[in-house]
Amino acid sequence: MKVAVTGASGFMGPGLVQRLLGRGHDVHVLARNIEQSLSRLPEGVTGSYFDAATPLSPDALADAEAVVHLAGEPVGQRWTKEAKHRIHESRVMGTRVLVRAMKEAGTVKRFVSASAIGFYGGTRGAEPLTEESSPGDDFLANVCRAWEAEAMLAREAGIRTAIVRMGMVLHPEGGALHKMLPPFRMGAGGPVGTGKQYVSWVHREDAQDLVLYVLEHPEVEGPVNVTAPNPVTNAEFAHAMGHALGRPAVMHVPAFMLKAAMGEMAKLALEGQRVLPKRAQEAGFTFRYPELEAALRDLLA
Ligand SMILES: NC(=O)c1ccc[n+]([C@@H]2O[C@H](COP(=O)([O-])OP(=O)(O)OC[C@H]3O[C@@H](n4cnc5c(N)ncnc54)[C@H](OP(=O)(O)O)[C@@H]3O)[C@@H](O)[C@H]2O)c1
């Protein structure tokens, strides 16, 4: 089938596009800079212009039968007032214009839209969280709630819609692991804050496989947590990093230092959620990397 993908050139996108092509699907990307986006993707992919602030013509979807929506302003940056606005608007307005175009186009039967486990809020301690758990009430939780609500409006047009709530996606090329690696490689890594906050991580290969699995299983609707089955505490995560790199990982970073360096965004590291992939496992998805040690061995080899 023809699949339109937003955010295809980012951290998750190229691997997903590869998988789609490998499964025989046609891919059409929706991007702010089509040429730049296509230059990062295999031959044969086509593209149309898409941004959150401009109404999207249904023609831009190029008769796609399915849409995967990954685009959004990066969250891992200092949360100034302007950055918070961009994080919120790129997701809420971006999803709104996309869903409107999908409804008008009439060709789309399947919609998979990204969200984040930030949906559950940052202060849930060791509470096991599944897709049925209640949302949190902080900046990211409210962004995720509004973003998901826009995506779910696609169902009004009979489009089977799933929300993939991403955990901390691990790969040295980008995301959180890329930022953590330099201090850990120097032996200057360690737990942050209390170290008791949970890290719901997922190997990027598993995350991309699971998004594809969800897309190809239209009976899977609503939220799906994209996290490995065995989340760990921040202290356990630091220990596993040290072990995988053969470096000490005992340099504790106190909360106040992280807050001074990163501002409010430090919450991403100081708070956490213990999220379980209940729906994915019920739907029959098998994780290649259910355990952190093996995932890090593979990623940092
Ligand atoms: N990676 C993670 O650990 C993680 C965790 C939780 C949630 N997520 C969510 O999962 C989705 C995919 O993750 P990712 O890591 O692949 O994302 P990413 O690389 O940060 O960004 C994906 C794409 O979003 C588009 N984009 C960036 N800023 C934008 C803006 N201001 N307005 C509109 N579009 C913008 C860009 O596409 P174009 O330049 O082609 O337009 C970019 O390639 C994102 O929505 C992300 O928030 C990821």
Side-chain angles (χ1 to χ4, degrees):
M1 67 185 162
K2 186 173 233 179
V3 185
V5 183
T6 77
S9 63
F11 176 57
M12 290 277 296
L16 179 66
V17 170
Q18 282 280 7
R19 282 165 171 74
L20 288 167
L21 295 171
R23 298 275 302 162
H25 301 299
D26 292 324
V27 177
H28 184 79
V29 301
L30 300 171
R32 293 169 304 166
N33 184 329
I34 305 168
E35 252 177 58
Q36 199 181 69
S37 187
L38 292 180
S39 72
R40 294 184 190 151
L41 299 170
E43 295 258 314
V45 176
T46 53
S48 301
Y49 181 80
F50 164 71
D51 79 53
T54 312
L56 184 67
S57 157
D59 296 339
L61 291 166
D63 296 328
E65 295 154 79
V67 176
V68 180
H69 179 35
L70 301 174
E73 172 81 12
V75 171
Q77 59 178 304
R78 203 169 245 277
W79 290 355
T80 60
K81 203 171 147 207
E82 295 74 28
K84 278 182 158 181
H85 184 73
R86 286 195 304 273
I87 290 168
H88 185 273
E89 291 300 288
S90 65
R91 290 182 166 75
V92 175
M93 297 310 293
T95 308
R96 189 172 299 169
V97 297
L98 184 64
V99 167
R100 275 192 191 148
M102 283 163 44
K103 285 177 165 176
E104 284 172 39
T107 54
V108 179
K109 305 276 174 287
R110 179 65 167 151
F111 182 38
V112 177
S113 188
S115 179
I117 59 168
F119 173 88
Y120 302 108
T123 54
R124 307 292 287 255
E127 178 189 350
L129 299 166
T130 71
E131 292 83 355
E132 286 107 60
S133 300
S134 59
D137 183 18
D138 52 28
F139 167 62
L140 275 188
N142 293 330
V143 168
C144 291
R145 263 206 291 190
W147 183 15
E148 293 190 8
E150 291 291 340
M152 291 305 275
L153 292 177
R155 290 182 309 172
E156 292 174 355
I159 299 167
R160 301 183 90 164
T161 302
I163 307 285
V164 281
R165 288 184 186 148
M166 310 284 186
M168 185 202 276
V169 181
L170 297 182
H171 196 280
E173 271 177 14
L177 188 60
H178 180 71
K179 291 195 176 127
M180 277 185 266
L181 268 177
F184 275 94
R185 281 211 162 109
M186 288 190 298
V192 301
T194 64
K196 291 182 183 160
Q197 68 279 29
Y198 268 83
V199 180
S200 293
W201 60 277
V202 60
H203 191 303
R204 190 172 70 174
E205 298 285 318
D206 275 334
Q208 290 161 334
D209 284 347
L210 180 48
V211 173
L212 178 69
Y213 189 88
V214 168
L215 180 76
E216 292 185 335
H217 288 77
E219 70 280 8
V220 179
E221 297 186 70
V224 179
N225 293 332
V226 181
T227 58
N230 297 296
V232 296
T233 64
N234 176 275
E236 288 166 340
F237 192 91
H239 179 80
M241 285 281 285
H243 194 245
L245 292 166
R247 290 269 185 254
V250 291
M251 292 279 275
H252 171 235
V253 184
F256 78 86
M257 250 165 84
L258 210 65
K259 282 184 197 155
M262 294 159 66
E264 191 187 348
M265 196 264 275
K267 274 168 166 287
L268 284 182
L270 294 169
E271 297 178 350
Q273 306 85 0
R274 186 183 183 186
V275 178
L276 304 174
K278 184 166 178 258
R279 300 279 315 277
Q281 291 186 307
E282 281 171 359
F285 180 78
T286 309
F287 287 85
R288 266 193 275 175
Y289 298 97
E291 301 287 347
L292 181 63
E293 292 273 348
L296 288 179
R297 255 200 318 278
D298 176 72
L299 290 164
L300 304 176

